[in-house]
Amino acid sequence: MVNKYYDKDCDLKLLEGKTVAIMGFGSQGHAHALNLKESGVKVVVGLRKDSKSWKVAEDYGLDVYEVKEAAKLADLVMMLVPDEVSADIYNKEVAPYLKDGDTLMYAHGFNVHYNLVNPPEGVDVSMVAPKGPGHTVRSQYQKGNGVPSLVAVYQDKSGKAKDVALAYASALGAGRAGILETTFKEETETDLFGEQAVLCGGITELMIAGFETLVEAGYEPEMAYFECIHEMKLIVDMIVEGGFSNMRNSISNTAEYGDYHAGKKIIGDQTRKAMKDVLEDIRSGEFASDFMREFSSGRKIKFLTTRKRKANHQLEEVGKDLRSMMSWLNK
């Protein structure tokens, strides 16, 4: 049974007198920096000197430094830069300035789990990973709510790594919703699997296959788009709000019967075997190696070519035209 923690289990005093350096100011970076600051934590932001986010962060009233300068000032460094550049930034601009007793923190375990970074023995290494996009982490905090978060410890030199991570999560607002304890291995491997097999890779290929099946059978592309892509959000929203039972209680009897009738035909033994193969690639490190090799090449092996090919699919043009009819989407 997973351990769950709330604000009553967290001690924000553990962050008193500490300087937290947020490396990066993207979706998660801006939310972490602002939420922590408003929770009374001393925050600095580390960015490249030519970063477009520099002035944005300053306009929020944050102190901004180049990454190595922020690392020098910090007692706790939170790495919130893309996975593919995180190790390079850490090795060149953070690691030389870590001191015994410092804390190195991540919001995703990729670089630590796959040994792309090797933290020194004298520091704590932990994770605080909100289970929502940065804009939601920020907006929920401002409303007095929070987004559930994961917390994990990789290296506990001080004996207080978990307590400090819980304090950080609480300062983000996560303690209002719930903080779940995990490991770097579990978070990394389940996150990658979910993205590849279901959330991004699986669901988009399922929608594309449905769209193409109807169009190839002679149905209008607009009808195929509505039925296989547009309405996906309606179904997912019902599931998120109350689970599969809520969704099945909300749809028609025809749709529910069709669910039971066809679901296993679509997602059968072959798909489940493919999912196991995907998971094995993740667990073995093969995916991580492939990913880093792709970005080391300048994304020219398959990333950019695949992006271009996907963007030119017929359903993208059909979808663009249909979305222009829905004024509420523009908001």
Side-chain angles (χ1 to χ4, degrees):
M1 192 71 175
V2 67
N3 293 325
K4 298 178 184 177
Y5 303 93
Y6 297 89
D7 280 339
K8 63 181 177 60
D9 305 306
C10 307
D11 185 5
L12 279 175
K13 291 182 180 178
L14 291 172
L15 298 178
E16 287 182 359
K18 294 183 182 293
T19 298
V20 174
I22 304 296
M23 302 307 189
F25 202 70
S27 175
Q28 288 291 337
H30 95 282
H32 285 234
L34 294 173
N35 289 10
L36 263 63
K37 180 183 179 184
E38 291 175 18
S39 291
V41 179
K42 183 177 180 181
V43 175
V44 298
V45 175
L47 293 171
R48 299 188 319 272
K49 190 63 179 178
D50 62 349
S51 171
K52 295 178 181 179
S53 298
W54 190 293
K55 186 176 185 306
V56 177
E58 285 186 329
D59 288 345
Y60 275 115
L62 294 162
D63 295 324
V64 187
Y65 300 87
E66 291 191 63
V67 172
K68 64 180 180 180
E69 297 302 324
K72 290 178 185 178
L73 293 169
D75 302 293
L76 187 159
V77 173
M78 168 56 96
M79 299 294 294
L80 293 174
V81 296
D83 288 332
E84 64 270 17
V85 298
S86 185
D88 190 53
I89 292 172
Y90 167 79
N91 290 325
K92 293 179 180 177
E93 303 181 69
V94 175
Y97 309 105
L98 286 177
K99 310 174 295 295
D100 285 355
D102 284 352
T103 295
L104 176 64
M105 193 173 284
Y106 289 83
H108 178 39
F110 186 93
N111 277 268
V112 173
H113 178 58
Y114 291 117
N115 299 311
L116 298 174
V117 301
N118 294 288
E121 293 183 1
V123 305
D124 289 344
V125 183
S126 58
M127 179 198 307
V128 173
K131 300 311 292 178
H135 67 83
T136 304
V137 174
R138 179 62 181 152
S139 64
Q140 288 301 308
Y141 178 93
Q142 290 176 303
K143 294 175 182 178
N145 303 320
V147 171
S149 179
L150 303 180
V151 66
V153 173
Y154 181 81
Q155 183 168 291
D156 188 8
K157 178 65 177 178
S158 70
K160 295 184 177 180
K162 178 177 170 181
D163 293 332
V164 171
L166 286 172
Y168 184 106
S170 178
L172 274 186
R176 303 166 182 174
I179 305 164
L180 285 69
E181 187 172 9
T182 185
T183 65
F184 272 66
K185 172 181 169 63
E186 184 173 56
E187 185 278 335
T188 302
E189 293 177 357
T190 58
D191 184 81
L192 293 176
F193 177 81
E195 292 168 350
Q196 294 175 34
V198 182
L199 304 178
C200 304
I203 203 168
T204 54
E205 286 301 320
L206 181 65
M207 289 190 287
I208 290 169
F211 176 89
E212 291 178 344
T213 298
L214 288 177
V215 172
E216 288 169 7
Y219 298 97
E220 292 294 338
E222 290 79 4
M223 295 301 296
Y225 187 91
F226 272 129
E227 299 304 331
C228 297
I229 299 172
H230 174 76
E231 293 191 16
M232 180 67 74
K233 178 175 171 20
L234 307 178
I235 300 301
V236 170
D237 282 350
M238 287 187 282
I239 294 171
V240 170
E241 290 165 6
F244 291 144
S245 295
N246 178 65
M247 179 270 289
R248 287 169 176 147
N249 286 334
S250 302
I251 60 180
S252 69
N253 289 333
T254 313
E256 185 178 359
Y257 184 79
D259 170 0
Y260 305 144
H261 173 71
K264 291 288 187 180
K265 294 181 180 180
I266 303 301
I267 307 298
D269 291 342
Q270 184 177 352
T271 301
R272 293 174 186 275
K273 181 184 181 303
M275 285 184 168
K276 290 178 181 178
D277 291 343
V278 167
L279 181 57
E280 181 54 34
D281 284 349
I282 291 168
R283 296 175 72 174
S284 69
E286 184 174 339
F287 168 77
S289 296
D290 185 51
F291 174 77
M292 294 305 295
R293 185 165 52 250
E294 177 71 32
F295 277 80
S296 296
S297 74
R299 305 184 296 175
K300 295 178 181 178
I301 302 173
K302 56 187 175 183
F303 187 92
L304 293 177
T305 55
T306 304
R307 174 188 281 176
K308 183 177 180 180
R309 176 167 51 81
K310 295 284 189 180
N312 289 329
H313 194 285
Q314 180 189 17
L315 66 82
E316 292 288 3
E317 195 61 38
V318 173
K320 181 179 179 181
D321 181 57
L322 292 177
R323 288 192 298 273
S324 70
M325 300 167 60
M326 307 173 205
S327 59
W328 65 90
L329 293 181
N330 295 327
K331 298 178 181 180

